[in-house]
Amino acid sequence: MSAVGHLLALAPVAAIGLLAVALRPAGTVAGRRLALVRAALVTGAFAVLTVELLGALRLLTLPAFAVAWLSLLAGAGAAAGWRHRRDAARRTVQVVAVEVVAAPEPALVGATTGPTAGPPAPPPSLDTAAPHAEPRRAGWPTRLADAWRTAGRGERLLAGTVGGLLLVEFLIALLAEPNNFDSQTYHLPKVEQWVASGSLEFWPTAIHRQVTIPPGAEYLLLHLRLFTGGDALHNLVQWAAGVGVLLAATRITAQLGGGRRAQLLTAFVLATTPMVALQATSTQTDLVCAAWVACAATLALDGLRRRAGVGAMLALGAATGLTALTKTNGLVAVGPLLLIWGLAQLRLARAGSAPKHAGSPGRGTESPDASRPGRFRPGRQVRRTVAGSVLILLVAGVVVGPFLARVTAEFGHPLGPPRLRESVPMERHDPASVLVNALRIAHTAFDTPLAPLRRAGAGAIVGGAGVIGVDPQDRAITFGQERFPVPSWYPDEDRVAFPLAGVLAVIGAAVALARPGRVSPTRAGPLRAYAVVVVAAVLLHTAMIKWQPWGNRLLLYTLVLAVPLAGLWLDALFRRRAGGAGGRRPVAAGLAVSVLATCALAGVLAVSYGFPRRLVGAGSVFTTSEWDTRFLRRPQWAEEFRWAADAVRATDARRIGLVQQNDNWEYPWWLLLRDADGRPPELVALQSVLPGRPPADPASVDAIVCTGSRPACTALVPGGWRVQFRGYAGYALPPAG
């Protein structure tokens, strides 16, 4: 990677930093984290719209992307500078005001009127404002040092564990090559197709997921691919999403009334969840989706207590659009979040309180209409709320609309071809089928290494399904040809269960619904409303998405939303224990400490021994070669791909045909067949599942590479060509001469 590539790869980080300064709110909960959420949404939306615009112009090239990012940095830098100057001027005015109020009046200088003589006391508002001026000027290292100094031993242990895991995951993400199974099949091949063609136009392919699955996360990878010329930094997208998840989840905890310990508990439970730790070093897309959903959640919670401004609505629209463009199942949670946001905004409008949105310091708490008797107009405020809701949907449409338009034009439906619409969504929605689906999903999500417990639970579900007349293996409620149950406790990024975090989240949700005042006395109403949303999202998920062995990945966004409830409950439990109330509470608190210790162990084991990227043992990132790391999922294929690619490269073939099936690995061909200068090869599909995109003629290619099925390869090879196959991979070449 060149020096220019290094600098360009830092552009998204620099943009988020500058935008966080420019968009920093005042007078709101965890304002700095809200600023980072806003900045991430702006940067994410910019990255997506840049791809869409330049793709439409057939300019998916490094120079075009460099110009786009330099323009964003210039604008963000100007906005940050303006904001810094404005804040400095405002602080100066505040200090001068305090000095003027505190100074003795000229008429009283030298005079004494009795024992109470002296300068008048400053007004309470300015007196309380002055002590807060200095912390706002302090830099983040000073604030961090102060927080560490005032933290207790337990809080330091929680923070240290989270920080240590993030650092180790960052190291793994940098050292390990992308080796996720789905990434080899369709996540990364689609990025290479865009680079090769310079556009987003669909192409003939035998793997429909390359064009039908929403590409939001891959859009982000495309920027890094063009900047660096390879995939060395691809894992950092999900690592950054993991950091974003922690920031948003801890802010949600603070919004629901949780203090520092509750926020640290939330971060700790999330960071030590093996699914989060493993996905943070991967090129999967579930953590990116969870991050956008968490951004939508924290923005929606702001709207429960105060009127939203245009900026908040734009941010909610961006979060909704980015979720839909990354993984549509995230909308299962975003929908209820937008619903409670809209209802809260209508309630505030009708009540006439209409407090200003976060980020409007020094303007009071009432709207102009509400502050003047007789001028408040509920109808106008309701119309404003409706218009704001429409604005959210319009912004979301701008983000996800171009992709949906291409899918609709290609397949006649915005959700893609029938095979996609029928494979993942539930095809039966009767109560009995939904119940069986929910029980199977729960069994897989809460799986443990205790095989007897797994077998007993699965047996009860299968037996109960028979009693109510539902086949637990029914294809209408089961993905593909998979069969329930499957072990999911092992720390594998695609299927690992989360029993510890899940149980804590369930308890937290139950307490928040039943007795929210005991968990958060000052935020009982918002806490219960949020818990309702989390439960609704889980129920909708189980009613809409079929069980599958990899279903825990799809549930990740609901776990992220639910863990703040666990953090709040744990904090309340420890708080009551410290108060010495109740004989059973010390026992419960002791059990909670044991569970947290087990969480820490699970997180450490996940990053140490998790599959397919680990620190120690067979397949370690320190001892395994770059090529072998890519094939840890299927080590027997590593040499087969290289053998076939070497034979094709020896012929100087330029146009190479692809023969493969829906779940075959394509990405290794893009790596092995590219030119010495990094230019991608011309790979064309000899099969196509897109009705309007016919495959290439086998007679038009110089060579053919195949994966999976030798008969399928042989059937497409022109007569007289020589076919060679080794297990999974093969090739075909024309006659010599």
Side-chain angles (χ1 to χ4, degrees):
M1 182 168 58
S2 65
V4 174
H6 275 95
L7 293 175
L8 288 174
L10 293 174
V13 179
I16 290 176
L18 292 171
L19 288 170
V21 174
L23 300 174
R24 184 176 65 249
T28 189
V29 175
R32 294 181 182 88
R33 275 169 278 175
L34 177 57
L36 288 171
V37 166
R38 292 173 173 178
L41 289 170
V42 171
T43 305
F46 170 83
V48 164
L49 295 178
T50 296
V51 171
E52 291 288 359
L53 176 61
L54 295 180
L57 299 174
R58 306 187 71 86
L59 284 175
L60 299 181
T61 61
L62 175 58
F65 275 60
V67 170
W69 279 101
L70 291 176
S71 301
L72 176 65
L73 287 176
W82 173 83
R83 178 61 185 270
H84 179 74
R85 291 190 297 272
R86 194 192 74 170
D87 289 350
R90 182 169 293 168
R91 285 195 296 267
T92 301
V93 170
Q94 290 177 344
V95 171
V96 171
V98 171
E99 291 175 350
V100 169
V101 173
E105 295 186 17
L108 299 178
V109 174
T112 57
T113 58
T116 59
S125 60
L126 290 175
D127 186 58
T128 54
H132 294 286
E134 181 61 30
R136 279 200 295 268
R137 287 197 297 267
W140 67 265
T142 301
R143 295 192 300 269
L144 188 61
D146 289 342
W148 185 263
R149 185 175 59 255
T150 59
R153 183 182 303 173
E155 292 176 342
R156 291 182 180 182
L157 183 60
L158 294 172
T161 302
V162 173
L165 286 173
L166 286 176
L167 288 175
V168 173
E169 290 160 11
F170 182 75
L171 177 65
I172 296 174
L174 282 178
L175 293 179
E177 286 70 30
N179 58 2
N180 175 263
F181 195 103
D182 285 348
S183 296
Q184 307 278 12
T185 300
Y186 68 96
H187 290 312
L188 301 186
K190 72 171 67 173
V191 175
E192 296 300 322
Q193 284 280 2
W194 295 333
V195 173
S197 66
S199 78
L200 300 175
E201 184 179 354
F202 289 165
W203 57 92
T205 178
I207 304 173
H208 76 87
R209 292 177 293 173
Q210 292 182 358
V211 296
T212 58
I213 298 294
E218 291 88 341
Y219 279 1
L220 305 181
L221 293 177
L222 175 61
H223 292 264
L224 295 179
R225 168 65 176 85
L226 290 172
F227 292 161
T228 65
D231 58 18
L233 301 183
H234 279 9
N235 292 331
L236 293 183
V237 170
Q238 282 252 118
W239 182 84
V243 175
V245 158
L246 295 179
L247 292 174
T250 54
R251 183 171 190 264
I252 290 170
T253 306
Q255 289 171 287
L256 296 175
R260 182 169 62 187
R261 183 173 59 186
Q263 296 171 50
L264 286 172
L265 286 166
T266 296
F268 178 86
V269 173
L270 260 184
T272 56
T273 300
M275 177 66 77
V276 174
L278 292 170
Q279 287 238 354
T281 63
S282 170
T283 47
Q284 265 293 6
T285 62
D286 306 280
L287 206 49
V288 177
C289 173
W292 298 135
V293 172
C295 289
T298 190
L299 293 170
L301 281 176
D302 281 336
L304 298 189
R305 298 176 63 87
R306 63 183 70 220
R307 297 284 286 147
V310 174
M313 297 173 188
L314 292 174
L316 265 174
T320 302
L322 289 168
T323 299
L325 188 64
T326 302
K327 218 173 183 70
T328 51
N329 62 301
L331 294 177
V332 171
V334 173
L337 286 167
L338 293 180
L339 179 60
I340 65 163
W341 177 88
L343 293 175
Q345 291 292 293
L346 287 173
R347 177 182 59 81
L348 291 170
R350 291 185 179 278
S353 59
K356 278 286 182 180
H357 62 279
S360 300
R363 299 183 187 178
T365 58
E366 302 295 323
S367 69
D369 285 344
S371 62
R372 295 180 236 171
R375 293 294 302 276
F376 178 69
R377 301 172 182 173
R380 180 179 178 182
Q381 294 299 323
V382 170
R383 289 194 296 272
R384 179 176 177 271
T385 299
V386 173
S389 302
V390 173
L391 177 62
I392 291 172
L393 297 179
L394 286 176
V395 173
V398 169
V399 174
V400 73
F403 169 71
L404 293 181
R406 289 194 298 274
V407 173
T408 303
E410 192 72 34
F411 300 103
H413 196 287
L415 298 181
R419 65 185 301 176
L420 178 63
R421 302 198 303 270
E422 297 169 1
S423 61
V424 176
M426 287 275 285
E427 298 176 78
R428 291 179 56 179
H429 297 91
D430 56 284
S433 296
V434 172
L435 176 61
V436 171
N437 193 56
L439 291 174
R440 295 182 305 166
I441 289 175
H443 181 273
T444 304
F446 290 90
D447 190 24
T448 69
L450 303 175
L453 182 62
R454 181 188 314 118
R455 289 193 294 267
I461 293 172
V462 172
V467 171
I468 61 177
V470 176
D471 179 6
Q473 314 302 343
D474 185 358
R475 296 303 102 191
I477 62 174
T478 305
F479 178 83
Q481 301 302 313
E482 304 300 328
R483 295 189 62 82
F484 173 83
V486 294
S488 60
W489 64 268
Y490 185 77
D492 183 307
E493 66 172 352
D494 282 338
R495 65 172 66 191
V496 62
F498 33 81
L500 298 174
V503 167
L504 292 174
V506 168
I507 296 174
V511 174
L513 289 171
R515 307 186 72 175
R518 296 190 64 180
V519 175
S520 179
T522 62
R523 297 288 190 273
L527 175 60
R528 177 174 280 166
Y530 182 78
V532 168
V533 168
V534 172
V535 172
V538 173
L539 294 178
L540 287 171
H541 183 102
T542 58
M544 297 173 64
I545 297 176
K546 296 176 179 178
W547 174 87
Q548 54 184 283
W550 313 278
N552 292 340
R553 291 195 299 106
L554 306 184
L555 271 174
L556 186 56
Y557 71 98
T558 63
L559 180 72
V560 168
L561 292 185
V563 166
L565 301 176
L568 288 163
W569 171 71
L570 287 168
D571 179 60
L573 183 66
F574 294 139
R575 188 170 61 245
R576 292 196 299 271
R577 177 198 181 191
R584 289 177 296 179
R585 286 171 187 162
V587 176
L591 289 175
V593 170
S594 300
V595 171
L596 291 176
T598 309
C599 286
L601 178 62
V604 171
L605 290 177
V607 297
S608 300
Y609 295 98
F611 194 75
R613 291 166 304 281
R614 55 177 52 166
L615 283 178
V616 297
S620 166
V621 295
F622 295 115
T623 60
T624 308
S625 69
E626 178 246 349
W627 189 247
D628 289 337
T629 297
R630 296 181 184 277
F631 285 85
L632 283 174
R633 285 281 184 195
R634 298 291 186 272
Q636 68 274 20
W637 294 350
E639 192 53 39
E640 295 175 8
F641 270 97
R642 180 171 283 169
W643 160 79
D646 287 344
V648 171
R649 287 176 61 88
T651 66
D652 294 325
R654 293 302 312 157
R655 182 176 168 87
I656 303 167
L658 278 172
V659 178
Q660 55 195 0
Q661 287 73 57
N662 184 57
D663 205 31
N664 289 174
W665 285 18
E666 180 182 315
Y667 186 58
W669 299 126
W670 290 98
L671 297 174
L672 290 166
L673 298 174
R674 66 176 51 174
D675 291 344
D677 60 0
R679 188 176 60 173
E682 185 182 0
L683 291 176
V684 296
L686 303 185
Q687 311 137 290
S688 179
V689 295
L690 278 66
R693 308 280 174 176
D697 184 353
S700 69
V701 301
D702 303 322
I704 296 174
V705 291
C706 311
T707 50
S709 171
R710 177 167 185 156
C713 182
T714 304
L716 291 170
V717 170
W721 283 41
R722 176 169 53 93
V723 179
Q724 298 289 326
F725 232 90
R726 276 191 189 175
Y728 182 76
Y731 67 91
L733 298 174

